[in-house]
Amino acid sequence: MPFDKATAIAHTQFFIDEINDRLSRFSPIVLVGGTAVSIYAYFRIRTILRRSDRPVHQRLMGYFVSLARYLPSVENKIQKQFEGIRGEIVESIHKYDQDRIFIRELLNTQLSPEDVIQKASEYESMGTFDVNGGRVSGTVYTDRDQKHIDFLSEIFKKYAYSNPLHPDVFPGVRKMEAEVVRMAANLFHGPPEACGTVSSGGTESIMLACFAYRNRAYAKGITEPVMIIPVTAHAAFDKAAFMMNIRVKHIPVDCNNRVNLKAMRSAISSDTCMIVGSAPNFPTGTIDDIAQISNLGLRYKVPVHVDACLGGFLIPFMEEAGFPLSLFDFRLPGVTSISCDTHKYGYAPKGTSVILYRSPEYLHDQYFAVTDWTGGIYATPTLAGSRSGLAIALTWGTMMYFGRNVYVSRTRAIVDSARELAKQIATIPGLEIYGTPEVSVVAFRSKEFNIYAVADKMNHLGWNLNTLQHPDSIHFCMTFNQARGEVITAFIADLRKACEEVNEMPNKGGASKTAAIYGTAALIPDRSLVSSMTHVFLDACYSMPEKLNH
Ligand SMILES: *Cc1c(COP(=O)(O)O)cnc(C)c1O
């Protein structure tokens, strides 16, 4: 039928009349009310849908479970289950404590320093893992070289009570912080205007970057900013997103464990406040394709954060150590910020990290000021108010104490050992390397037996490894403590033995402790239940249970 304009208009007119006719049967109150309710419902549903990027069916399922928890019978059952788990968890937390005598009240009288130190030594000896012997993955990144510790003690004496919140009182610590930032910026080839701050750790550095980019997005009129991160990005991003009311889109990874760039590109929208790549990521030690992520940032004009918290003091030295990498730093023009942890491979004691920006325009979005506070005009560069000048001084001191050459030679030892470890793990029947171990982390899994059972067995043999999930896997993070032949040889021998034993177990190890925990967690549709399980664990850390009478 040829298009007839007159007929079309007549049809449209008829349609409009029909709607008018039907609507006029409702009173205006109903019309206005109905519209309001619909709009409210639309925004409610939109908000709920946007709250997380987990699949809708999973969230619906979780929603129903959480509704069911309002039923006393269901909630009682859940609590009973938790009680059972709680006892076990409390025992596992306190198993290192032989006497379980707790100090609950501030002592009325002084204890002699000798007595306090005696107690501190007793507490220290509760730990059973041989950290110095290299039995613990990650965690302590340097060896406990006595000369270094003695040196740090001297710094401690001078800076224990310093606080950079008062740069006039502690000008030395202020200078140290500026120097730590500049040294780090230069390691990452920051331009002259590159800048940043020292923070209390990787999590704070990441929070600060997210805070800056969220503020930047708000200033541009983005009311609901979204961050785009690989599923392998550190949990600190989710924590920051939650605290700062940023929506998160998690992007899947390819088979090599690098973020899928196509998926990342199509996730970018006008609401995007930042995109993230890890160099390397925590789970498998894989470096995302930072060059391509930088390109996306440039193309869509969104800031790019590179999380180098873990490897920040390895990757800048790798080329010199004989392990060249693709570019990952400010040499890529789209990279706007980098987080790197001085308290990991920077070998400083815990409590410091550096957040770097390409230029002050980003850093300024991290600063916070209260201009009309009755306590005076108040401005801080980081999340904290008062900060530990000591942590900064220990970091500065450590960087100066070692210097570039030691960082390079330690990097060579660590990366060399990690690659050797990966090579040998790949020869163990049933195991396969997971991800692309380029730096210091080696992740592995098994399609033949339960890898968590292997972790439990290794634990009994004195090794402390990290468990990963989605997929089931574990990793060993090589520190300078372990970068020696005898540790690798001992580890491989024990791992081989553990795998053989698990392979012989009923159910291929599926009933072991960690396997049971992750197995149960995977079966629970409501993540808030899993979350409650973590509360049981965290509560247990602060509990003071009676000694069990055996
Ligand atoms: C350790 C780590 C962090 C967070 O650091 P914390 O110092 O534990 O807060 C962030 N990203 C990666 C890749 C890490 O390995």
Side-chain angles (χ1 to χ4, degrees):
M1 199 178 74
F3 179 77
D4 179 348
K5 206 168 158 191
T7 320
I9 291 173
H11 273 287
T12 313
Q13 194 56 49
F14 174 77
F15 189 64
I16 292 170
D17 287 346
E18 183 71 17
I19 290 175
N20 270 333
D21 186 43
R22 291 198 186 178
L23 286 181
S24 64
R25 284 182 227 149
F26 296 103
S27 76
I29 299 267
V30 173
L31 277 182
V32 172
T35 311
V37 169
S38 318
I39 291 175
Y40 174 77
Y42 168 74
F43 279 102
R44 266 306 285 161
I45 293 171
R46 185 168 172 267
T47 309
I48 291 171
L49 284 179
R50 287 180 145 207
R51 196 172 293 152
S52 112
D53 63 351
R54 282 181 42 226
V56 174
H57 66 273
Q58 251 184 39
R59 291 164 61 195
L60 269 178
M61 192 70 161
Y63 177 65
F64 289 127
V65 174
S66 62
L67 275 189
R69 288 187 72 173
Y70 285 110
L71 297 172
S73 58
V74 173
E75 183 59 18
N76 286 344
K77 219 174 194 162
I78 289 173
Q79 286 306 329
K80 231 189 223 138
Q81 291 280 347
F82 277 171
E83 269 321 306
I85 304 171
R86 180 173 291 123
E88 242 174 73
I89 291 180
V90 166
E91 277 315 302
S92 78
I93 292 279
H94 290 276
K95 72 178 174 213
Y96 306 104
D97 191 352
Q98 296 305 321
D99 50 8
R100 297 200 189 174
I101 299 165
F102 298 97
I103 298 165
R104 292 165 202 268
E105 302 283 351
L106 184 61
L107 305 182
N108 284 326
T109 52
Q110 274 189 318
L111 231 51
S112 73
E114 293 75 31
D115 286 349
V116 180
I117 288 169
Q118 167 65 27
K119 263 227 156 326
S121 305
E122 282 167 23
Y123 282 25
E124 190 197 16
S125 69
M126 283 173 20
T128 53
F129 286 105
D130 184 6
V131 175
N132 292 341
R135 291 304 196 262
V136 176
S137 158
T139 316
V140 180
Y141 288 81
T142 187
D143 57 348
R144 283 196 227 165
D145 164 22
Q146 198 51 46
K147 279 208 322 248
H148 181 213
I149 303 280
D150 291 342
F151 158 79
L152 292 178
S153 310
E154 290 303 311
I155 302 266
F156 177 93
K157 287 179 195 161
K158 297 182 196 303
Y159 289 92
Y161 284 90
S162 62
N163 179 357
L165 185 64
H166 306 284
D168 48 348
V169 185
F170 303 106
V173 148
R174 194 223 90 240
K175 188 173 179 187
M176 285 173 170
E177 181 177 5
E179 290 178 354
V180 168
V181 168
R182 192 62 240 178
M183 285 191 276
N186 284 345
L187 285 179
F188 288 96
H189 298 92
E193 61 281 11
C195 52
T197 61
V198 173
S199 77
S200 62
T203 299
E204 189 186 349
S205 288
I206 287 169
M207 278 182 183
L208 289 168
C210 296
F211 181 61
Y213 292 141
R214 185 207 67 173
N215 293 343
R216 195 177 165 80
Y218 280 173
K220 282 189 176 164
I222 300 173
T223 52
E224 293 182 71
V226 182
M227 64 163 82
I228 295 176
I229 66 173
V231 288
T232 46
H234 196 272
F237 288 97
D238 293 273
K239 188 175 187 176
F242 182 78
M243 290 177 74
M244 286 155 198
N245 211 9
I246 304 169
R247 290 165 53 207
V248 193
K249 275 206 180 124
H250 296 92
I251 308 299
V253 288
D254 289 335
C255 56
N256 53 22
N257 209 249
R258 293 196 178 94
V259 67
N260 182 310
L261 292 158
K262 251 199 196 139
M264 183 166 249
R265 193 193 64 207
S266 52
I268 296 175
S269 75
S270 55
D271 284 337
T272 305
C273 67
M274 64 191 289
I275 54 180
V276 172
S278 310
N281 67 32
F282 170 83
T284 69
T286 304
I287 302 180
D288 287 316
D289 190 339
I290 306 295
Q292 288 305 323
I293 297 173
S294 159
N295 285 343
L296 286 179
L298 285 180
R299 171 137 45 112
Y300 294 98
K301 296 195 169 53
V302 288
V304 173
H305 180 81
V306 174
D307 179 17
C309 278
L310 181 62
F313 281 81
L314 293 174
I315 53 175
F317 307 114
M318 275 178 68
E319 182 162 0
E320 205 176 323
F323 307 101
L325 294 171
S326 313
L327 295 189
F328 50 79
D329 60 17
F330 290 120
R331 284 171 288 181
L332 298 166
V335 172
T336 50
S337 58
I338 298 174
S339 50
C340 61
D341 283 1
T342 33
H343 74 188
K344 283 184 177 162
Y345 292 100
Y347 311 123
K350 286 292 181 237
T352 59
S353 166
V354 182
I355 173 70
L356 298 168
Y357 296 96
R358 173 174 292 278
S359 69
E361 61 167 314
Y362 301 102
L363 177 61
H364 290 173
D365 282 323
Q366 177 189 303
Y367 290 166
F368 184 75
V370 181
T371 51
D372 294 306
W373 183 34
T374 51
I377 297 175
Y378 180 89
T380 51
T382 64
L383 293 183
S386 288
R387 288 189 291 155
S388 165
L390 173 64
I392 291 170
L394 295 175
T395 301
W396 177 89
T398 298
M399 290 170 81
M400 306 281 284
Y401 176 86
F402 287 130
R404 187 176 177 98
N405 290 343
V406 170
Y407 281 104
V408 170
S409 67
R410 284 187 167 204
T411 298
R412 188 177 297 121
I414 290 165
V415 178
D416 216 22
S417 302
R419 293 192 180 186
E420 179 59 28
L421 189 76
K423 219 166 74 193
Q424 296 203 28
I425 287 173
T427 67
I428 296 178
L431 289 188
E432 58 183 69
I433 294 294
Y434 168 46
T436 311
E438 277 181 288
V439 189
S440 62
V441 170
V442 183
F444 48 99
R445 59 184 188 162
S446 175
K447 292 200 173 115
E448 288 167 30
F449 43 81
N450 194 298
I451 199 71
Y452 296 141
V454 174
D456 287 345
K457 280 238 180 276
M458 289 297 278
N459 208 280
H460 285 131
L461 294 170
W463 297 93
N464 191 301
L465 305 181
N466 302 71
T467 41
L468 318 168
Q469 57 176 341
H470 314 311
D472 295 3
S473 41
I474 56 182
H475 89 205
F476 188 83
C477 176
M478 181 72 67
T479 69
F480 184 60
N481 229 345
Q482 299 139 341
R484 41 199 155 109
E486 69 262 29
V487 174
I488 298 175
T489 308
F491 179 82
I492 293 293
D494 283 351
L495 185 60
R496 203 176 278 279
K497 192 165 115 199
C499 288
E500 277 165 14
E501 286 176 15
V502 169
N503 200 31
E504 298 299 316
M505 279 163 77
N507 210 341
K508 301 274 182 193
S512 87
K513 201 175 121 213
T514 308
I517 292 172
Y518 279 93
T520 312
L523 289 178
I524 302 175
D526 178 20
R527 301 328 274 171
S528 75
L529 266 180
V530 180
S531 199
S532 305
M533 255 164 66
T534 67
H535 298 183
V536 173
F537 174 84
L538 294 175
D539 283 347
C541 294
Y542 297 91
S543 66
M544 296 186 167
E546 301 275 303
K547 197 169 171 175
L548 284 189
N549 294 317
H550 283 299

